Amino acid sequence: MKKKLLNLGLAGALVSTFSLTPYAATTASAANNSEEEIIVPVEDDNVVETQGKATITIKAAKELIEKNKTKIDNAIEKAIYAIPGLSDENKKKWAGTITAVGIAKYLGEVTGAADTAEDAVTDYLTDTLGVPSVVATPVVKTVFFIVL
């Protein structure tokens, strides 16, 4: 199988930086950041699976969040407690509700359903958990600051 190196934007940066083996050998032209199909080799040489760049990025983010869950959980708690104007009761509530494990699990379930990993996590926090955007935004920024 011939392998080509590509510029995949954020997805490529995650793939190449962290050497995620299943996604390392992509063979498609990805000159811009639009959603495109990427050919990802699977174990059977006769089968080709296509995935969009957002899907590859979300999967890579999920793996990185799982690997750094303690660091991310600590950063989430610090970010929540630093939000001004939020009551101590709500800070405690959201710090106990939002976890790296929950975020990673959700990313594993929604692969391909969002434009970016940040959008997917924001949707999870606001739509699924009911977290207000004033809490969700700094949490998402904190998580992806650590992951990237």
Side-chain angles (χ1 to χ4, degrees):
M1 173 179 287
K2 187 175 181 180
K3 296 181 182 180
K4 296 180 183 177
L5 297 176
L6 308 171
N7 176 6
L8 297 177
L10 179 58
L14 287 173
V15 169
S16 62
T17 303
F18 297 101
S19 300
L20 300 174
T21 308
Y23 315 112
T26 57
T27 57
S29 174
N32 60 35
N33 287 328
S34 65
E35 181 66 22
E36 298 178 21
E37 287 189 344
I38 306 297
I39 299 172
V40 180
V42 292
E43 290 182 20
D44 184 354
D45 288 335
N46 297 324
V47 177
V48 174
E49 177 182 319
T50 60
Q51 296 179 333
K53 290 190 307 184
T55 299
I56 292 171
T57 303
I58 289 171
K59 285 182 177 183
K62 175 187 178 287
E63 290 181 23
L64 293 170
I65 289 169
E66 288 173 338
K67 287 181 183 178
N68 296 293
K69 62 184 173 187
T70 302
K71 185 177 182 179
I72 291 172
D73 282 337
N74 292 337
I76 288 171
E77 186 174 338
K78 287 179 184 177
I80 291 171
Y81 278 94
I83 298 171
L86 196 62
S87 71
D88 289 341
E89 180 182 325
N90 281 330
K91 288 179 182 181
K92 185 176 181 179
K93 172 186 172 184
W94 296 124
T97 302
I98 303 169
T99 64
V101 171
I103 292 170
K105 182 178 177 184
Y106 183 78
L107 288 177
E109 295 171 0
V110 300
T111 300
D115 291 335
T116 67
E118 284 189 25
D119 289 344
V121 174
T122 301
D123 291 346
Y124 166 67
L125 295 178
T126 57
D127 299 343
T128 305
L129 296 181
V131 176
S133 62
V134 70
V135 175
T137 301
V139 166
V140 170
K141 298 297 181 191
T142 299
V143 168
F144 284 92
F145 178 76
I146 292 169
V147 169
L148 299 177

